[in-house]
Amino acid sequence: MQNSLRLEVMKKLLLGSLLASGLLFGQDGDFNIGVSLVGMSMDYREYDGGSNILDSEKSNSNLLVGSEIAASYALTRDADSLSKITLNFMALGGNTQYKGSILNSGLPYGSHESVTANEIYDMELGYKYSNTARANWILSSGIAVGYRYWERSLSQAQIETYKWFSIRPSVDVIYKSPSYSVGLELEYQFSINPIMSASNSGEDFNLGSADIVEVSIPFTYDVSDRVELILAYSYQRQTIKKSNIVNIGGTNYVEPDSTANNQYVKIGANFKF
């Protein structure tokens, strides 16, 4: 709860400072801010070092739900090109269905099922350059620094927190008509110092890596010169490599290899100042 409160305060301060800077210092159309509702489905699996599943988390028919704030500020602009800084913040929460076994029970996968409470936060600060290659076609490339936080509450006594920074190069192509646009975006997130903290032991596990490939299809529709509607679909493939060995009370533990197939649907609006 304390983490949630701190991040909510950070989000409000961030939004307020961005609005103030854009309204005070931006020229007409230089500052954009988008607000979207987000629904996420999760299919997470941990493995024993091979292809055998140790445990899994699935959202099934339920979605993790939340919101995203996406802001940008134009640094340079001419008829054929645009460079800008971008800042995104996303917060999600919801339950997933756990399937696995009781820790240290020796029982097989599927012997225990329960509900896991999840909180996910993702922040990204980046730079993007866009160029009109041909009429109506816009090519962009960018680089960003991001931070991801996933709190996985399997029980009151067992809360696992995954967190890491990342470097995020991206490329995208957008078709822009007079009233709408549709695009294809690709981003790779290289993790930096990924960690899993376990509340039941108080120990940190240094993950081998925690990289993400993301493919997005954004669609926008111009309502006016100042407002456009946003509809976007994103697919993420997250791959975590096993951690170092941590000795707890004479027993060795390892956070295992895992994969996650995450899907997002975003609906919102973008406002131009």
Side-chain angles (χ1 to χ4, degrees), residues 156-210:
Q156 290 185 345
Q158 186 180 357
I159 300 174
E160 297 181 349
T161 303
Y162 302 77
K163 49 195 174 183
W164 62 84
F165 289 93
S166 57
I167 301 296
R168 305 178 179 185
S170 63
V171 294
D172 61 72
V173 57
I174 295 174
Y175 174 79
K176 176 67 176 175
S177 82
S179 60
Y180 72 90
S181 70
V182 61
L184 179 64
E185 301 177 354
L186 176 63
E187 180 179 81
Y188 196 100
Q189 302 180 12
F190 296 92
S191 61
I192 301 172
N193 190 33
I195 291 172
M196 192 281 282
S197 300
S199 67
N200 55 339
S201 66
E203 298 289 341
D204 287 345
F205 293 75
N206 297 316
L207 305 173
S209 64

Side-chain angles (χ1 to χ4, degrees), residues 236-251:
Q236 284 184 343
R237 172 71 172 185
Q238 173 183 288
T239 304
I240 294 178
K241 296 299 184 182
K242 69 179 181 180
S243 72
N244 62 320
I245 297 173
V246 177
N247 187 279
I248 303 172
T251 302

Side-chain angles (χ1 to χ4, degrees), residues 74-95:
L75 298 174
T76 63
R77 180 197 302 272
D78 58 35
D80 298 321
S81 65
L82 170 69
S83 66
K84 61 184 179 181
I85 55 173
T86 60
L87 184 57
N88 293 2
F89 181 88
M90 182 173 64
L92 296 161
N95 294 333

